[in-house]
Structure formats: C-alpha cells, structure tokens
Amino acid sequence: MRDGVFTRRAALRAGLGALGIGALGAGALAAGVETRVLPGRGRLDHALGLDGTPGRVPTVAGVPVTSGTFASKAMKTTLGYSIARPATAGPVRVAVVLHGRGGDHRGAFDEFGMDRFLAQAIDDGVPPFALASIDGGDSSYYHRRADGTDSGAAILDEFLPLLQRQGLDTGRVAFQGTSMGGYGAILLAARHGAARTAAVGAQGPAIFASAADTAAGAYDSAEDFDANDVMRMTAQLQGIPIRVDIGTDDPFYPTVERFVDAFSPPLEHSYVPGGHDNGVWLRSMGTQVAFIGRHLAA
C-alpha cells in the first residue's frame, strides 16, 4: 500500500478481506457496505465494478518538459527536477508538484502525464502556467527530520529561487501532490502563507489521524507529528483555495473528510468510489490542474 499505510482499519480489511465474500453473511455484508466498515470493502467494490473506471491521461501532445539537478544543502544530496512549461512569451506562474512516498520527480510526467493534462487545460481556456516537480525524499513527509534533512526547506528556500532564475514567476505559487505529496502540498502552503500561495491541490493526502497511526518512518516522534499535523494548521491555511480529491475506500478518507469539514465553508472537494491508487487520482487530475491554473491566474 502506498505510504506504508497499515492502520488498524487497514489490517482488519486486509486480513478479513482475504477470507472472501462467502465467509460473510448476507446481512452483515449489506450492513458493512452501508457503514463503510466492511472488511475488504475496496476489494469487494472492485469485484462488483463499484469503484469507477480508472482515469486516463489525455491523448494530446504534452507541454514541453525539461529536467535538471541541483545540489541541495537542505537535503544534503543532489535533487532532480522537471519543469513542464508552455511555449508562451514572458514569465508564467508555477505550481510545484510533490510526489508520494517512494516516488521521485519523474512520476508527475512519466506516471501521471501531467504535461498532457496541462496542455489539455490550456486548450480548454485555462491561462498558461508551468508545473515543476522535484525529488522530495523517499519518506520525508516534506518537513525537517531528526537527521537534519528538510525537503520542505529544499523546496521553499532552494527550488523556488531556482525556478525564478529560470524565468518563472514565483511571486505566488501553487502546490499539488498525491498521497505523501498531497499532505506535503498542504503543509508547505501553510508554511509559505496565504499571501504567497495561490492554491493547493491534494489527491488522497496522507493525513494521519494520530501519531499512533502513522506509517513507519513518516515522523521521528509524537512531538514531530504534532508539530507537522496539518489538522492543527487551519488558521494558517485560511484564505488559500484548496481542493481535495479522495476515494471513499482510501484509508485516509475518514481523516481527510474531517480536515475538509474543519473549514467554513468546507474545502472544495470530491469523494469518489475507489481507493488509494493511481486510477482514482488520474480521474481527478484534470480537475486538479484546471483548479490550480484558474487560481494562479487570479
């Protein structure tokens, strides 16, 4: 499972789901589906065709993508990055794309085809902007760690100035990400501030309910979790347009729903059939890219 999520609920689903539907009575089956606590519900939904058709990358020519590396003091290593920039005159604004656990900067374009989603959005009338992805570390969760590395600082203090030197407008930026990267997009927006953050797009964001429920390696301690818990950052996030898309079988769904409802009015969102996987995220990628582009242009 992505991001090493193995909460008590996930363990229950995985263990009992392996028994198959036949091991459950019809009444329990119906009740479990209605209350969203059925063990193996994601597997059941998939078998019954209830988790929706997996999303697809648009069949259009993508925006040109260039790649490079830089030596990061904050991460104590060389980081790779890629930029999808439309061929327009003058500087354009940029959205920083953050990958999930175990990913790297290439996934935004090789795996998710975001250069093509960007081209489609521009064809549909969204003002041109750029997408810039970066290596964020295998399980950094985009904050300062006990070993002294800090991928959040690498992005805000090193990558944004690099993008500015390359001719992009970084006066107001957006953040977008999936899973660990969705959480990171929200976290970095809170730290960058409403004055400098145009929008956030988060897909299946890895927002854990408590320090006890976190994936191994995600945080260094309970205190580290508390200091970087985005559920405690609603005040810093006020005024930033945020869109959240998540599958209702995603193990993060209950906590993400609470996060969305913590704002008044609730954040722009969609809850769709499906789990914590690319098929679900590809379904909402076009909406995410268009949402970010509209707010970057505002």
Side-chain angles (χ1 to χ4, degrees), residues 58 117 120-121 124 126 129 176 200-203 243-245 268-270 272 281-295:
F117 279 106
Q120 184 68 68
D124 290 342
V126 174
F129 67 101
Q176 193 279 339
V200 174
Q203 295 173 296
R243 179 180 174 88
V244 176
D245 295 279
E268 184 170 325
H269 65 277
S270 72
V272 300
W281 300 329
L282 282 169
R283 265 188 270 156
S284 61
M285 188 64 78
T287 302
Q288 288 254 321
V289 170
F291 172 83
I292 286 169
R294 290 194 302 271
H295 286 287

Side-chain angles (χ1 to χ4, degrees), residues 142-156:
Y142 298 100
H143 65 278
R144 183 172 179 82
R145 307 309 302 268
D147 63 4
T149 61
D150 189 339
S151 61
I155 292 165
L156 297 180

Side-chain angles (χ1 to χ4, degrees), residues 93-117:
R93 286 181 172 170
V94 60
V96 176
V97 180
L98 309 181
H99 61 76
R101 185 167 186 165
D104 60 30
H105 73 279
R106 296 169 295 184
F109 307 113
D110 293 350
E111 190 174 353
F112 288 111
M114 292 186 73
D115 53 316
R116 282 166 279 174
F117 279 106

Side-chain angles (χ1 to χ4, degrees), residues 194-212:
R196 296 181 292 174
T197 303
V200 174
Q203 295 173 296
I207 303 175
F208 294 97
S210 69

Side-chain angles (χ1 to χ4, degrees), residues 26-114:
L29 177 64
V33 170
E34 289 299 319
T35 58
R36 301 190 185 280
V37 296
L38 174 71
R41 182 174 184 272
R43 182 179 299 181
L44 175 65
D45 281 359
H46 182 71
L48 297 177
L50 300 178
D51 55 356
T53 302
R56 296 287 183 268
V57 176
T59 55
V60 299
V63 167
V65 178
T66 58
S67 298
T69 62
F70 71 95
S72 169
K73 292 182 180 179
M75 287 296 284
K76 304 178 183 179
T77 190
T78 297
L79 302 180
Y81 66 88
S82 293
I83 303 171
R85 179 174 7 199
T88 58
V92 293
R93 286 181 172 170
V94 60
V96 176
V97 180
L98 309 181
H99 61 76
R101 185 167 186 165
D104 60 30
H105 73 279
R106 296 169 295 184
F109 307 113
D110 293 350
E111 190 174 353
F112 288 111
M114 292 186 73

